[in-house]
């Protein structure tokens, strides 16, 4: 089983969002937070930080995010930044989609 929590708060042009999960019995975890600011009605720009791991590895990342919301109910986010891992540091990139119900 997995426990997870997600949430966000909008304060004017600013938005704070986060997600965390852990596997019960597996000792794995994932935590991600972001802080963005609206630069237009459809575009947000900001930063993110994340960490994940289990007993065999740990990894952290810090980077920039750019979100585009072409409709009120969904958003696409691009992220890129620095990755710090147990054995190898480097860069990362990602894309995510979210939809409100």
């Amino acid at each position: 089983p997995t426990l997870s929590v997600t949430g966000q708060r909008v304060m004017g042009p600013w938005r704070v969002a986060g997600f965390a999960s852990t596997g019960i019995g597996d000792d794995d975890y994932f935590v991600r937070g972001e802080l963005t600011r609206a630069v237009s009605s459809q575009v947000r720009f900001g930063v993110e930080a994340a960490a994940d791991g289990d007993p065999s590895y740990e990894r952290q990342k810090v980077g920039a995010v750019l979100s585009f919301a072409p409709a009120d109910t969904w958003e696409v986010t691009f992220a890129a930044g620095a990755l710090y891992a147990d054995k190898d540091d480097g860069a990362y990139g990602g894309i995510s989609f979210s939809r409100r119900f």
Side-chain angles (χ1 to χ4, degrees):
T2 300
L3 293 175
S4 65
V5 63
T6 187
Q8 72 177 20
R9 179 164 174 100
V10 177
M11 299 157 289
W14 295 96
R15 181 173 71 191
V16 176
F19 175 81
S21 71
T22 184
I24 299 173
D26 292 338
D27 294 328
D28 66 334
Y29 65 93
F30 178 82
V31 178
R32 179 185 177 274
E34 74 174 39
L35 174 65
T36 60
R37 180 175 168 78
V39 294
S40 76
S41 62
Q42 295 179 316
V43 177
R44 304 188 73 79
F45 184 72
V47 295
E48 73 171 356
D52 68 308
D54 66 20
S56 66
Y57 82 98
E58 287 189 356
R59 158 175 68 191
Q60 298 85 35
K61 59 185 180 178
V62 178
V65 294
L66 177 66
S67 297
F68 175 66
D72 287 342
T73 57
W74 69 279
E75 185 174 80
V76 60
T77 300
F78 302 93
L83 174 70
Y84 308 97
D86 285 340
K87 298 178 183 174
D88 195 20
D89 296 340
Y92 77 93
I95 183 171
S96 61
F97 301 91
S98 61
R99 182 173 185 265
R100 278 193 322 260
F101 294 95

mmCIF file of all heavy atoms in Angstrom, residues 33-86:
data_model
loop_
_atom_site.group_PDB
_atom_site.id
_atom_site.type_symbol
_atom_site.label_atom_id
_atom_site.label_comp_id
_atom_site.label_asym_id
_atom_site.label_seq_id
_atom_site.Cartn_x
_atom_site.Cartn_y
_atom_site.Cartn_z
ATOM 1 N N GLY A 33 7.850 19.800 -4.226
ATOM 2 C CA GLY A 33 7.187 21.075 -3.984
ATOM 3 C C GLY A 33 7.562 22.070 -5.060
ATOM 4 O O GLY A 33 8.640 21.972 -5.650
ATOM 5 N N GLU A 34 6.652 22.990 -5.334
ATOM 6 C CA GLU A 34 6.955 24.024 -6.314
ATOM 7 C C GLU A 34 6.360 25.356 -5.876
ATOM 8 O O GLU A 34 5.353 25.397 -5.151
ATOM 9 C CB GLU A 34 6.443 23.663 -7.707
ATOM 10 C CG GLU A 34 4.952 23.766 -7.878
ATOM 11 C CD GLU A 34 4.504 23.537 -9.323
ATOM 12 O OE1 GLU A 34 5.075 22.666 -9.996
ATOM 13 O OE2 GLU A 34 3.572 24.224 -9.752
ATOM 14 N N LEU A 35 7.007 26.409 -6.294
ATOM 15 C CA LEU A 35 6.543 27.769 -6.077
ATOM 16 C C LEU A 35 6.564 28.456 -7.433
ATOM 17 O O LEU A 35 7.626 28.536 -8.067
ATOM 18 C CB LEU A 35 7.445 28.514 -5.094
ATOM 19 C CG LEU A 35 7.143 30.003 -4.899
ATOM 20 C CD1 LEU A 35 5.761 30.196 -4.262
ATOM 21 C CD2 LEU A 35 8.228 30.651 -4.053
ATOM 22 N N THR A 36 5.398 28.910 -7.898
ATOM 23 C CA THR A 36 5.321 29.556 -9.203
ATOM 24 C C THR A 36 4.587 30.884 -9.085
ATOM 25 O O THR A 36 3.834 31.119 -8.142
ATOM 26 C CB THR A 36 4.600 28.676 -10.244
ATOM 27 O OG1 THR A 36 3.270 28.404 -9.794
ATOM 28 C CG2 THR A 36 5.348 27.381 -10.491
ATOM 29 N N ARG A 37 4.815 31.706 -10.086
ATOM 30 C CA ARG A 37 4.136 33.003 -10.174
ATOM 31 C C ARG A 37 3.528 33.119 -11.574
ATOM 32 O O ARG A 37 4.184 32.778 -12.568
ATOM 33 C CB ARG A 37 5.125 34.135 -9.946
ATOM 34 C CG ARG A 37 4.486 35.508 -10.023
ATOM 35 C CD ARG A 37 5.489 36.598 -9.667
ATOM 36 N NE ARG A 37 5.003 37.928 -9.991
ATOM 37 C CZ ARG A 37 4.131 38.626 -9.278
ATOM 38 N NH1 ARG A 37 3.622 38.105 -8.184
ATOM 39 N NH2 ARG A 37 3.762 39.833 -9.648
ATOM 40 N N ALA A 38 2.306 33.608 -11.644
ATOM 41 C CA ALA A 38 1.656 33.830 -12.936
ATOM 42 C C ALA A 38 2.353 34.980 -13.655
ATOM 43 O O ALA A 38 2.559 36.042 -13.075
ATOM 44 C CB ALA A 38 0.180 34.145 -12.737
ATOM 45 N N VAL A 39 2.719 34.749 -14.912
ATOM 46 C CA VAL A 39 3.288 35.812 -15.736
ATOM 47 C C VAL A 39 2.290 36.250 -16.802
ATOM 48 O O VAL A 39 2.513 37.249 -17.480
ATOM 49 C CB VAL A 39 4.645 35.393 -16.360
ATOM 50 C CG1 VAL A 39 5.690 35.206 -15.274
ATOM 51 C CG2 VAL A 39 4.510 34.140 -17.190
ATOM 52 N N SER A 40 1.226 35.481 -16.958
ATOM 53 C CA SER A 40 0.091 35.833 -17.803
ATOM 54 C C SER A 40 -1.088 34.988 -17.327
ATOM 55 O O SER A 40 -0.961 34.220 -16.373
ATOM 56 C CB SER A 40 0.393 35.570 -19.287
ATOM 57 O OG SER A 40 0.332 34.196 -19.583
ATOM 58 N N SER A 41 -2.217 35.105 -17.997
ATOM 59 C CA SER A 41 -3.391 34.332 -17.572
ATOM 60 C C SER A 41 -3.210 32.837 -17.805
ATOM 61 O O SER A 41 -3.880 32.028 -17.168
ATOM 62 C CB SER A 41 -4.642 34.823 -18.293
ATOM 63 O OG SER A 41 -4.505 34.630 -19.695
ATOM 64 N N GLN A 42 -2.301 32.442 -18.694
ATOM 65 C CA GLN A 42 -2.101 31.024 -19.007
ATOM 66 C C GLN A 42 -0.719 30.488 -18.643
ATOM 67 O O GLN A 42 -0.500 29.283 -18.695
ATOM 68 C CB GLN A 42 -2.326 30.775 -20.501
ATOM 69 C CG GLN A 42 -3.742 31.013 -20.953
ATOM 70 C CD GLN A 42 -3.887 30.771 -22.438
ATOM 71 O OE1 GLN A 42 -3.056 31.199 -23.233
ATOM 72 N NE2 GLN A 42 -4.947 30.067 -22.807
ATOM 73 N N VAL A 43 0.223 31.328 -18.272
ATOM 74 C CA VAL A 43 1.615 30.894 -18.069
ATOM 75 C C VAL A 43 2.071 31.208 -16.644
ATOM 76 O O VAL A 43 1.809 32.280 -16.117
ATOM 77 C CB VAL A 43 2.556 31.585 -19.086
ATOM 78 C CG1 VAL A 43 4.003 31.194 -18.845
ATOM 79 C CG2 VAL A 43 2.142 31.247 -20.507
ATOM 80 N N ARG A 44 2.752 30.228 -16.051
ATOM 81 C CA ARG A 44 3.363 30.383 -14.725
ATOM 82 C C ARG A 44 4.833 29.999 -14.846
ATOM 83 O O ARG A 44 5.189 29.106 -15.603
ATOM 84 C CB ARG A 44 2.696 29.448 -13.703
ATOM 85 C CG ARG A 44 1.206 29.617 -13.595
ATOM 86 C CD ARG A 44 0.647 28.804 -12.449
ATOM 87 N NE ARG A 44 0.981 29.403 -11.183
ATOM 88 C CZ ARG A 44 0.353 30.446 -10.643
ATOM 89 N NH1 ARG A 44 -0.647 30.992 -11.270
ATOM 90 N NH2 ARG A 44 0.730 30.935 -9.491
ATOM 91 N N PHE A 45 5.668 30.648 -14.038
ATOM 92 C CA PHE A 45 7.099 30.346 -14.016
ATOM 93 C C PHE A 45 7.546 30.280 -12.568
ATOM 94 O O PHE A 45 7.069 31.042 -11.726
ATOM 95 C CB PHE A 45 7.885 31.429 -14.765
ATOM 96 C CG PHE A 45 9.353 31.143 -14.857
ATOM 97 C CD1 PHE A 45 9.824 30.147 -15.694
ATOM 98 C CD2 PHE A 45 10.255 31.853 -14.098
ATOM 99 C CE1 PHE A 45 11.184 29.865 -15.765
ATOM 100 C CE2 PHE A 45 11.612 31.592 -14.165
ATOM 101 C CZ PHE A 45 12.076 30.591 -15.005
ATOM 102 N N GLY A 46 8.453 29.339 -12.268
ATOM 103 C CA GLY A 46 8.913 29.238 -10.890
ATOM 104 C C GLY A 46 9.985 28.189 -10.699
ATOM 105 O O GLY A 46 10.725 27.857 -11.630
ATOM 106 N N VAL A 47 10.045 27.664 -9.473
ATOM 107 C CA VAL A 47 11.070 26.693 -9.094
ATOM 108 C C VAL A 47 10.419 25.466 -8.463
ATOM 109 O O VAL A 47 9.291 25.530 -7.960
ATOM 110 C CB VAL A 47 12.082 27.306 -8.100
ATOM 111 C CG1 VAL A 47 12.872 28.426 -8.764
ATOM 112 C CG2 VAL A 47 11.398 27.803 -6.845
ATOM 113 N N GLU A 48 11.162 24.370 -8.505
ATOM 114 C CA GLU A 48 10.721 23.143 -7.853
ATOM 115 C C GLU A 48 11.891 22.498 -7.135
ATOM 116 O O GLU A 48 13.050 22.725 -7.476
ATOM 117 C CB GLU A 48 10.127 22.145 -8.852
ATOM 118 C CG GLU A 48 11.147 21.465 -9.733
ATOM 119 C CD GLU A 48 10.582 20.331 -10.566
ATOM 120 O OE1 GLU A 48 9.395 20.002 -10.425
ATOM 121 O OE2 GLU A 48 11.340 19.761 -11.353
ATOM 122 N N ALA A 49 11.555 21.687 -6.140
ATOM 123 C CA ALA A 49 12.539 20.860 -5.445
ATOM 124 C C ALA A 49 11.861 19.517 -5.188
ATOM 125 O O ALA A 49 10.666 19.458 -4.900
ATOM 126 C CB ALA A 49 12.970 21.501 -4.141
ATOM 127 N N ALA A 50 12.628 18.446 -5.309
ATOM 128 C CA ALA A 50 12.070 17.108 -5.104
ATOM 129 C C ALA A 50 13.139 16.187 -4.529
ATOM 130 O O ALA A 50 14.335 16.411 -4.711
ATOM 131 C CB ALA A 50 11.539 16.533 -6.418
ATOM 132 N N ALA A 51 12.672 15.162 -3.837
ATOM 133 C CA ALA A 51 13.566 14.133 -3.294
ATOM 134 C C ALA A 51 12.819 12.813 -3.335
ATOM 135 O O ALA A 51 11.609 12.760 -3.107
ATOM 136 C CB ALA A 51 13.979 14.465 -1.868
ATOM 137 N N ASP A 52 13.543 11.761 -3.650
ATOM 138 C CA ASP A 52 12.951 10.427 -3.595
ATOM 139 C C ASP A 52 14.028 9.409 -3.286
ATOM 140 O O ASP A 52 15.213 9.675 -3.415
ATOM 141 C CB ASP A 52 12.192 10.078 -4.882
ATOM 142 C CG ASP A 52 13.102 9.900 -6.081
ATOM 143 O OD1 ASP A 52 13.917 10.790 -6.345
ATOM 144 O OD2 ASP A 52 12.982 8.872 -6.763
ATOM 145 N N GLY A 53 13.583 8.247 -2.843
ATOM 146 C CA GLY A 53 14.537 7.200 -2.522
ATOM 147 C C GLY A 53 13.900 6.042 -1.801
ATOM 148 O O GLY A 53 12.687 5.988 -1.593
ATOM 149 N N ASP A 54 14.737 5.109 -1.461
ATOM 150 C CA ASP A 54 14.386 3.949 -0.654
ATOM 151 C C ASP A 54 15.682 3.489 0.007
ATOM 152 O O ASP A 54 16.699 4.176 -0.110
ATOM 153 C CB ASP A 54 13.694 2.870 -1.494
ATOM 154 C CG ASP A 54 14.574 2.227 -2.552
ATOM 155 O OD1 ASP A 54 15.825 2.295 -2.462
ATOM 156 O OD2 ASP A 54 14.025 1.634 -3.490
ATOM 157 N N PRO A 55 15.714 2.360 0.689
ATOM 158 C CA PRO A 55 16.965 1.967 1.342
ATOM 159 C C PRO A 55 18.160 1.775 0.404
ATOM 160 O O PRO A 55 19.310 1.832 0.835
ATOM 161 C CB PRO A 55 16.595 0.649 2.030
ATOM 162 C CG PRO A 55 15.135 0.794 2.315
ATOM 163 C CD PRO A 55 14.595 1.518 1.109
ATOM 164 N N SER A 56 17.916 1.617 -0.899
ATOM 165 C CA SER A 56 19.029 1.368 -1.814
ATOM 166 C C SER A 56 19.523 2.605 -2.563
ATOM 167 O O SER A 56 20.553 2.550 -3.214
ATOM 168 C CB SER A 56 18.635 0.288 -2.831
ATOM 169 O OG SER A 56 17.603 0.770 -3.674
ATOM 170 N N TYR A 57 18.797 3.723 -2.530
ATOM 171 C CA TYR A 57 19.251 4.926 -3.234
ATOM 172 C C TYR A 57 18.565 6.169 -2.672
ATOM 173 O O TYR A 57 17.527 6.078 -2.021
ATOM 174 C CB TYR A 57 18.985 4.831 -4.737
ATOM 175 C CG TYR A 57 17.562 5.181 -5.130
ATOM 176 C CD1 TYR A 57 17.249 6.446 -5.599
ATOM 177 C CD2 TYR A 57 16.532 4.245 -5.022
ATOM 178 C CE1 TYR A 57 15.946 6.786 -5.943
ATOM 179 C CE2 TYR A 57 15.238 4.567 -5.366
ATOM 180 C CZ TYR A 57 14.946 5.838 -5.833
ATOM 181 O OH TYR A 57 13.655 6.159 -6.174
ATOM 182 N N GLU A 58 19.163 7.323 -2.980
ATOM 183 C CA GLU A 58 18.555 8.616 -2.702
ATOM 184 C C GLU A 58 18.866 9.542 -3.861
ATOM 185 O O GLU A 58 19.931 9.447 -4.467
ATOM 186 C CB GLU A 58 19.090 9.223 -1.405
ATOM 187 C CG GLU A 58 18.580 8.554 -0.173
ATOM 188 C CD GLU A 58 18.959 9.311 1.083
ATOM 189 O OE1 GLU A 58 19.690 10.316 0.998
ATOM 190 O OE2 GLU A 58 18.514 8.886 2.155
ATOM 191 N N ARG A 59 17.915 10.441 -4.145
ATOM 192 C CA ARG A 59 18.109 11.380 -5.244
ATOM 193 C C ARG A 59 17.345 12.663 -4.920
ATOM 194 O O ARG A 59 16.254 12.620 -4.375
ATOM 195 C CB ARG A 59 17.614 10.700 -6.512
ATOM 196 C CG ARG A 59 17.228 11.518 -7.648
ATOM 197 C CD ARG A 59 16.880 10.694 -8.862
ATOM 198 N NE ARG A 59 15.651 9.932 -8.670
ATOM 199 C CZ ARG A 59 15.241 8.985 -9.478
ATOM 200 N NH1 ARG A 59 15.966 8.627 -10.507
ATOM 201 N NH2 ARG A 59 14.103 8.363 -9.267
ATOM 202 N N GLN A 60 17.947 13.805 -5.240
ATOM 203 C CA GLN A 60 17.319 15.105 -5.055
ATOM 204 C C GLN A 60 17.460 15.887 -6.356
ATOM 205 O O GLN A 60 18.417 15.687 -7.103
ATOM 206 C CB GLN A 60 17.972 15.920 -3.929
ATOM 207 C CG GLN A 60 17.887 15.288 -2.561
ATOM 208 C CD GLN A 60 18.993 14.302 -2.297
ATOM 209 O OE1 GLN A 60 20.109 14.477 -2.747
ATOM 210 N NE2 GLN A 60 18.686 13.237 -1.587
ATOM 211 N N LYS A 61 16.507 16.792 -6.590
ATOM 212 C CA LYS A 61 16.608 17.653 -7.760
ATOM 213 C C LYS A 61 16.044 19.029 -7.442
ATOM 214 O O LYS A 61 15.147 19.174 -6.612
ATOM 215 C CB LYS A 61 15.938 17.040 -8.977
ATOM 216 C CG LYS A 61 14.485 16.731 -8.831
ATOM 217 C CD LYS A 61 13.972 16.006 -10.075
ATOM 218 C CE LYS A 61 12.494 15.682 -9.952
ATOM 219 N NZ LYS A 61 11.991 15.032 -11.140
ATOM 220 N N VAL A 62 16.621 20.025 -8.096
ATOM 221 C CA VAL A 62 16.210 21.411 -7.954
ATOM 222 C C VAL A 62 16.228 22.020 -9.346
ATOM 223 O O VAL A 62 17.195 21.834 -10.084
ATOM 224 C CB VAL A 62 17.167 22.201 -7.037
ATOM 225 C CG1 VAL A 62 16.750 23.655 -6.935
ATOM 226 C CG2 VAL A 62 17.248 21.570 -5.663
ATOM 227 N N GLY A 63 15.151 22.728 -9.701
ATOM 228 C CA GLY A 63 15.132 23.284 -11.040
ATOM 229 C C GLY A 63 14.053 24.324 -11.255
ATOM 230 O O GLY A 63 13.356 24.739 -10.326
ATOM 231 N N ALA A 64 13.928 24.709 -12.503
ATOM 232 C CA ALA A 64 12.948 25.699 -12.937
ATOM 233 C C ALA A 64 11.755 24.987 -13.560
ATOM 234 O O ALA A 64 11.899 23.909 -14.145
ATOM 235 C CB ALA A 64 13.576 26.645 -13.959
ATOM 236 N N VAL A 65 10.578 25.589 -13.410
ATOM 237 C CA VAL A 65 9.362 25.052 -14.024
ATOM 238 C C VAL A 65 8.667 26.140 -14.828
ATOM 239 O O VAL A 65 8.685 27.322 -14.461
ATOM 240 C CB VAL A 65 8.381 24.448 -12.989
ATOM 241 C CG1 VAL A 65 8.971 23.240 -12.331
ATOM 242 C CG2 VAL A 65 7.968 25.462 -11.960
ATOM 243 N N LEU A 66 8.065 25.735 -15.920
ATOM 244 C CA LEU A 66 7.267 26.603 -16.765
ATOM 245 C C LEU A 66 5.968 25.858 -17.046
ATOM 246 O O LEU A 66 5.992 24.754 -17.591
ATOM 247 C CB LEU A 66 7.998 26.911 -18.074
ATOM 248 C CG LEU A 66 7.232 27.751 -19.094
ATOM 249 C CD1 LEU A 66 7.002 29.156 -18.555
ATOM 250 C CD2 LEU A 66 7.984 27.798 -20.409
ATOM 251 N N SER A 67 4.849 26.445 -16.624
ATOM 252 C CA SER A 67 3.542 25.803 -16.790
ATOM 253 C C SER A 67 2.692 26.601 -17.760
ATOM 254 O O SER A 67 2.697 27.837 -17.746
ATOM 255 C CB SER A 67 2.806 25.707 -15.450
ATOM 256 O OG SER A 67 3.518 24.900 -14.552
ATOM 257 N N PHE A 68 1.951 25.865 -18.581
ATOM 258 C CA PHE A 68 1.052 26.465 -19.556
ATOM 259 C C PHE A 68 -0.320 25.832 -19.387
ATOM 260 O O PHE A 68 -0.449 24.609 -19.397
ATOM 261 C CB PHE A 68 1.588 26.228 -20.973
ATOM 262 C CG PHE A 68 0.668 26.719 -22.049
ATOM 263 C CD1 PHE A 68 0.419 28.073 -22.198
ATOM 264 C CD2 PHE A 68 0.057 25.829 -22.907
ATOM 265 C CE1 PHE A 68 -0.437 28.531 -23.192
ATOM 266 C CE2 PHE A 68 -0.793 26.278 -23.900
ATOM 267 C CZ PHE A 68 -1.041 27.631 -24.050
ATOM 268 N N ALA A 69 -1.334 26.659 -19.198
ATOM 269 C CA ALA A 69 -2.711 26.184 -19.000
ATOM 270 C C ALA A 69 -3.577 26.652 -20.167
ATOM 271 O O ALA A 69 -4.127 27.754 -20.134
ATOM 272 C CB ALA A 69 -3.266 26.689 -17.681
ATOM 273 N N PRO A 70 -3.708 25.833 -21.220
ATOM 274 C CA PRO A 70 -4.515 26.253 -22.367
ATOM 275 C C PRO A 70 -6.019 26.239 -22.080
ATOM 276 O O PRO A 70 -6.789 26.798 -22.838
ATOM 277 C CB PRO A 70 -4.148 25.236 -23.441
ATOM 278 C CG PRO A 70 -3.682 24.047 -22.694
ATOM 279 C CD PRO A 70 -3.070 24.553 -21.422
ATOM 280 N N ALA A 71 -6.421 25.598 -20.975
ATOM 281 C CA ALA A 71 -7.827 25.559 -20.575
ATOM 282 C C ALA A 71 -7.889 25.654 -19.052
ATOM 283 O O ALA A 71 -6.898 25.409 -18.368
ATOM 284 C CB ALA A 71 -8.481 24.257 -21.053
ATOM 285 N N ASP A 72 -9.040 26.006 -18.517
ATOM 286 C CA ASP A 72 -9.183 26.136 -17.063
ATOM 287 C C ASP A 72 -9.002 24.820 -16.319
ATOM 288 O O ASP A 72 -8.661 24.813 -15.149
ATOM 289 C CB ASP A 72 -10.567 26.694 -16.710
ATOM 290 C CG ASP A 72 -10.677 28.167 -17.039
ATOM 291 O OD1 ASP A 72 -9.627 28.822 -17.206
ATOM 292 O OD2 ASP A 72 -11.819 28.652 -17.133
ATOM 293 N N THR A 73 -9.207 23.699 -16.982
ATOM 294 C CA THR A 73 -9.198 22.411 -16.280
ATOM 295 C C THR A 73 -7.919 21.611 -16.453
ATOM 296 O O THR A 73 -7.784 20.564 -15.826
ATOM 297 C CB THR A 73 -10.376 21.544 -16.744
ATOM 298 O OG1 THR A 73 -10.294 21.366 -18.165
ATOM 299 C CG2 THR A 73 -11.699 22.187 -16.370
ATOM 300 N N TRP A 74 -6.989 22.034 -17.296
ATOM 301 C CA TRP A 74 -5.757 21.253 -17.404
ATOM 302 C C TRP A 74 -4.545 22.147 -17.657
ATOM 303 O O TRP A 74 -4.662 23.279 -18.079
ATOM 304 C CB TRP A 74 -5.883 20.132 -18.424
ATOM 305 C CG TRP A 74 -5.977 20.532 -19.868
ATOM 306 C CD1 TRP A 74 -7.081 20.969 -20.525
ATOM 307 C CD2 TRP A 74 -4.921 20.506 -20.826
ATOM 308 N NE1 TRP A 74 -6.774 21.230 -21.828
ATOM 309 C CE2 TRP A 74 -5.460 20.947 -22.054
ATOM 310 C CE3 TRP A 74 -3.579 20.161 -20.769
ATOM 311 C CZ2 TRP A 74 -4.696 21.042 -23.202
ATOM 312 C CZ3 TRP A 74 -2.819 20.256 -21.922
ATOM 313 C CH2 TRP A 74 -3.386 20.688 -23.111
ATOM 314 N N GLU A 75 -3.366 21.550 -17.350
ATOM 315 C CA GLU A 75 -2.109 22.291 -17.396
ATOM 316 C C GLU A 75 -0.981 21.349 -17.782
ATOM 317 O O GLU A 75 -0.969 20.181 -17.388
ATOM 318 C CB GLU A 75 -1.853 22.878 -16.007
ATOM 319 C CG GLU A 75 -0.656 23.769 -15.893
ATOM 320 C CD GLU A 75 -0.588 24.414 -14.520
ATOM 321 O OE1 GLU A 75 -0.132 23.742 -13.576
ATOM 322 O OE2 GLU A 75 -1.005 25.572 -14.393
ATOM 323 N N VAL A 76 -0.029 21.846 -18.535
ATOM 324 C CA VAL A 76 1.182 21.100 -18.863
ATOM 325 C C VAL A 76 2.361 21.858 -18.269
ATOM 326 O O VAL A 76 2.416 23.080 -18.335
ATOM 327 C CB VAL A 76 1.341 20.882 -20.389
ATOM 328 C CG1 VAL A 76 1.409 22.192 -21.134
ATOM 329 C CG2 VAL A 76 2.553 20.029 -20.702
ATOM 330 N N THR A 77 3.281 21.128 -17.635
ATOM 331 C CA THR A 77 4.428 21.736 -16.964
ATOM 332 C C THR A 77 5.725 21.130 -17.491
ATOM 333 O O THR A 77 5.852 19.908 -17.575
ATOM 334 C CB THR A 77 4.338 21.520 -15.440
ATOM 335 O OG1 THR A 77 3.141 22.127 -14.968
ATOM 336 C CG2 THR A 77 5.527 22.118 -14.720
ATOM 337 N N PHE A 78 6.659 21.989 -17.816
ATOM 338 C CA PHE A 78 8.003 21.590 -18.233
ATOM 339 C C PHE A 78 8.965 21.938 -17.097
ATOM 340 O O PHE A 78 8.835 23.002 -16.491
ATOM 341 C CB PHE A 78 8.417 22.334 -19.495
ATOM 342 C CG PHE A 78 7.483 22.121 -20.649
ATOM 343 C CD1 PHE A 78 6.430 23.006 -20.871
ATOM 344 C CD2 PHE A 78 7.641 21.040 -21.492
ATOM 345 C CE1 PHE A 78 5.559 22.817 -21.920
ATOM 346 C CE2 PHE A 78 6.771 20.838 -22.549
ATOM 347 C CZ PHE A 78 5.722 21.736 -22.771
ATOM 348 N N ALA A 79 9.899 21.044 -16.827
ATOM 349 C CA ALA A 79 10.863 21.274 -15.746
ATOM 350 C C ALA A 79 12.258 20.882 -16.213
ATOM 351 O O ALA A 79 12.419 19.942 -16.998
ATOM 352 C CB ALA A 79 10.479 20.456 -14.511
ATOM 353 N N ALA A 80 13.258 21.583 -15.695
ATOM 354 C CA ALA A 80 14.656 21.259 -15.987
ATOM 355 C C ALA A 80 15.515 21.805 -14.857
ATOM 356 O O ALA A 80 15.195 22.835 -14.265
ATOM 357 C CB ALA A 80 15.090 21.861 -17.315
ATOM 358 N N GLY A 81 16.592 21.069 -14.555
ATOM 359 C CA GLY A 81 17.463 21.533 -13.487
ATOM 360 C C GLY A 81 18.580 20.575 -13.175
ATOM 361 O O GLY A 81 18.971 19.754 -14.006
ATOM 362 N N ALA A 82 19.065 20.651 -11.946
ATOM 363 C CA ALA A 82 20.200 19.846 -11.483
ATOM 364 C C ALA A 82 19.701 18.651 -10.681
ATOM 365 O O ALA A 82 18.789 18.774 -9.870
ATOM 366 C CB ALA A 82 21.126 20.689 -10.626
ATOM 367 N N LEU A 83 20.342 17.513 -10.912
ATOM 368 C CA LEU A 83 20.004 16.258 -10.240
ATOM 369 C C LEU A 83 21.194 15.803 -9.407
ATOM 370 O O LEU A 83 22.332 15.792 -9.897
ATOM 371 C CB LEU A 83 19.675 15.188 -11.289
ATOM 372 C CG LEU A 83 19.425 13.778 -10.792
ATOM 373 C CD1 LEU A 83 18.104 13.723 -10.028
ATOM 374 C CD2 LEU A 83 19.391 12.816 -11.959
ATOM 375 N N TYR A 84 20.927 15.478 -8.162
ATOM 376 C CA TYR A 84 21.966 14.997 -7.249
ATOM 377 C C TYR A 84 21.578 13.594 -6.815
ATOM 378 O O TYR A 84 20.526 13.392 -6.208
ATOM 379 C CB TYR A 84 22.088 15.925 -6.035
ATOM 380 C CG TYR A 84 22.267 17.364 -6.431
ATOM 381 C CD1 TYR A 84 21.181 18.229 -6.467
ATOM 382 C CD2 TYR A 84 23.516 17.838 -6.799
ATOM 383 C CE1 TYR A 84 21.347 19.551 -6.847
ATOM 384 C CE2 TYR A 84 23.683 19.170 -7.190
ATOM 385 C CZ TYR A 84 22.595 20.009 -7.212
ATOM 386 O OH TYR A 84 22.748 21.318 -7.592
ATOM 387 N N ALA A 85 22.416 12.622 -7.122
ATOM 388 C CA ALA A 85 22.119 11.227 -6.815
ATOM 389 C C ALA A 85 23.283 10.601 -6.056
ATOM 390 O O ALA A 85 24.376 11.148 -6.018
ATOM 391 C CB ALA A 85 21.847 10.444 -8.096
ATOM 392 N N ASP A 86 23.021 9.431 -5.465
ATOM 393 C CA ASP A 86 24.045 8.736 -4.694
ATOM 394 C C ASP A 86 25.354 8.584 -5.467
ATOM 395 O O ASP A 86 26.426 8.869 -4.965
ATOM 396 C CB ASP A 86 23.567 7.342 -4.295
ATOM 397 C CG ASP A 86 22.563 7.380 -3.164
ATOM 398 O OD1 ASP A 86 22.503 8.387 -2.448
ATOM 399 O OD2 ASP A 86 21.819 6.396 -3.010
#
